[in-house]
Amino acid sequence: MSAYPNAAVATTAATTDSEAADPCCAAPLPVLGRDVTVPLVTGGEVTYAALDYAASAPALQRVWDDVAAYAPYYGSVHRGAGYLSQLSTDLFENSRVTVAEFLDCRPGDQVVFTRSTTDSLNLLAAVLPAGCEVFVFETEHHASLLPWQDARVTYLNAPRTPAQAVETLERALADRDPYGPALVCVTGASNVTGELWPVRELAAAAHAHGARIVLDAAQLAPHHPVSVQELDVDWVAFSGHKLYAPFGSGVLAGRADWLQDAEPYLAGGGASKKVARRADGGVDVEWHTTAARHEAGSPNVIGVYSIASACKALTEAGFDQLVAREQHLIDTVRAGLAEVPEVKVLSLFGDEAPRVGVISFVVEGWNSSHFAAALSAEYGIGVRDGLFCAHPLVRTLLGSDPQTQGECGAPEAAPGEKSLNAIRVSFGAGTPDEHVERFVRAVKELVRDGAQWKYRTEDGRCVPDRG
């Protein structure tokens, strides 16, 4: 914002008041929706407990304030000579610098703005060199499991320890063509179990065998610092909507060479540097070699700015403090669930594995959709149920467990398959203690006393029966 200092003050000063600690919210970073009340089927209202951060985290109040302060200055990016266009371009490019600093990128790395983690990994899949082999664990979210289907893909079985993950990858890489390009894709933190993966060790294994590695940091970046240099990954991808910035933007950051050598992910304005008609009637195009090469069209400047704002807020709050407090919430939930024999927490690496605030479980005698519906309708608690866009992983974790249908909500299953689904609770920097304490109390009461209301299946979902 150096070109327009007065406007810069306007877009940052507005965040000051709202960053003051909220006495009603025992969380280090206030979020929108913290005072929203919802009706209960049993009567009355309660403050909504948003415990589905792993799907979409609420917007930080600071992010909302920064975006609102900038909105009157909104203008086209890279397109105009006017004041607002120049200011918006400055803000957009400074946001790129902020994200690079947040990720501790190497000199020469590119930060490409996308729509989401899914979009980022599909972009990387589109620029793979010819003949590239891809190695991915079956435990990945579909965003990092599915984009590689036009390449030669080796799907690796779910490991049961971090060391086994490294050993599995090393064996697979040892069998590959040592002269061709290769890419490993791995998550930083599971969106199902919350467990942290040995990213640095996997990166070392990849590089030792001449492969590159991309980190899906969608669930890691909101909870832990991510350093491209310390982890020694080649690329990192994440989504704004997981990072308290739900305005439709994502990031792919990392090495520039594969990005520069490939055709643009999307062809259009912004990606092209020069376009000219040929004598034969065709068109010659010179593409940008910067990040703009893969950012065709009018950029989502508000989405990009919101990510930069969230990066600054998390950095200023201090990840040491955020991680310590989140561990307190994790311990509270896990200790509470351990007191209920009917509850089984899902895990790949075991109880002692470090994790972020994402915990999935099943309850004996309950269909997970029914249990999640009762948490919402009777306690005002929002969680997730299903297979969490990680079907192979959840099926592996639940494969031998019987699933009781309960009153309603059993998901459809293919012929010969059991109906499988689980419950996921997830939280972060905006979660007050009361939300997780209410959740633990609700689980215990539902298991002990059952639901107070009747439920039915409607459009594949378990909902309160109001008839």
Side-chain angles (χ1 to χ4, degrees), residues 82-161:
Y83 180 91
L84 299 191
S85 178
Q86 292 294 303
L87 183 147
S88 295
T89 298
D90 201 14
L91 181 137
F92 183 82
E93 292 302 333
N94 279 333
S95 295
R96 203 187 303 276
V97 174
T98 297
V99 171
E101 292 173 347
F102 179 75
L103 295 174
D104 189 27
C105 288
R106 298 166 292 255
D109 281 350
Q110 287 189 349
V111 174
V112 180
F113 290 117
T114 65
R115 294 176 295 178
S116 60
T117 307
T118 302
D119 196 34
S120 295
L121 294 173
N122 275 272
L123 163 57
L124 188 58
V127 305
L128 295 179
C132 187
E133 296 182 74
V134 177
F135 297 83
V136 56
F137 286 93
E138 67 172 351
T139 47
E140 293 292 309
H141 185 282
H142 293 171
S144 47
L145 184 72
L146 301 180
W148 322 105
Q149 302 204 34
D150 289 338
R152 290 188 291 163
V153 187
T154 297
Y155 295 104
L156 307 175
N157 292 335
R160 287 300 181 168
T161 66

Side-chain angles (χ1 to χ4, degrees), residues 119-424:
D119 196 34
S120 295
L121 294 173
N122 275 272
L123 163 57
L124 188 58
V127 305
L128 295 179
C132 187
E133 296 182 74
V134 177
F135 297 83
V136 56
F137 286 93
E138 67 172 351
T139 47
E140 293 292 309
H141 185 282
H142 293 171
S144 47
L145 184 72
L146 301 180
W148 322 105
Q149 302 204 34
D150 289 338
R152 290 188 291 163
V153 187
T154 297
Y155 295 104
L156 307 175
N157 292 335
R160 287 300 181 168
T161 66
Q164 189 179 83
V166 178
E167 293 167 3
T168 299
L169 179 62
E170 286 181 331
R171 285 196 303 270
L173 290 172
D175 292 337
R176 81 175 189 91
D177 176 0
Y179 301 105
L183 177 71
V184 175
C185 180
V186 67
T187 187
S190 170
N191 77 303
V192 176
T193 68
E195 292 162 319
L196 298 178
W197 277 62
V199 176
R200 185 182 291 105
E201 293 82 358
L202 291 167
H207 293 151
H209 290 276
R212 297 190 180 190
I213 186 168
V214 57
L215 170 64
D216 175 354
Q219 300 295 341
L220 184 63
H223 304 275
H224 283 257
V226 174
S227 169
V228 168
Q229 298 194 65
E230 288 185 12
L231 294 174
D232 197 22
V233 294
D234 297 281
W235 293 277
V236 60
F238 70 87
S239 296
H241 71 98
K242 313 284 191 188
L243 197 80
Y244 310 100
F247 291 92
S249 278
V251 168
L252 176 67
R255 300 197 182 278
D257 53 352
W258 286 9
L259 295 167
Q260 292 176 345
D261 292 343
E263 291 294 300
Y265 181 46
L266 296 174
S272 55
K273 186 176 182 180
K274 183 170 65 176
V275 180
R277 289 292 301 275
R278 296 196 305 263
D280 63 5
V283 174
D284 284 325
V285 183
E286 181 183 349
W287 303 108
H288 281 292
T289 57
T290 63
R293 185 184 189 90
H294 299 289
E295 293 177 344
S298 294
N300 179 2
V301 59
I302 286 180
V304 165
Y305 182 45
S306 71
I307 289 180
S309 173
C311 289
K312 289 180 180 179
L314 291 167
T315 300
E316 291 167 7
F319 270 107
D320 287 346
Q321 174 193 352
L322 296 177
V323 170
R325 183 176 182 279
E326 185 172 303
Q327 188 61 52
H328 161 70
L329 298 181
I330 294 170
D331 293 343
T332 298
V333 172
R334 287 179 59 83
L337 294 180
E339 295 174 356
V340 185
E342 294 84 353
V343 169
K344 176 186 176 182
V345 174
L346 306 184
S347 175
L348 272 175
F349 301 153
D351 290 342
E352 301 305 315
R355 65 196 71 227
V356 300
V358 178
I359 299 169
S360 297
F361 62 98
V362 291
V363 184
E364 182 181 346
W366 285 80
N367 176 268
S368 295
S369 295
H370 185 193
F371 201 89
L375 286 173
S376 175
E378 300 178 26
Y379 295 91
I381 299 170
V383 297
R384 176 73 57 144
D385 65 275
L387 299 177
F388 317 128
C389 290
H391 294 187
L393 172 56
V394 180
R395 290 182 184 280
T396 294
L397 296 174
L398 295 180
S400 60
D401 291 334
Q403 291 287 292
T404 303
Q405 179 170 334
E407 293 184 31
C408 75
E412 294 182 359
E417 288 188 351
K418 289 182 297 184
S419 174
L420 300 177
N421 61 339
I423 306 153
R424 184 181 70 190

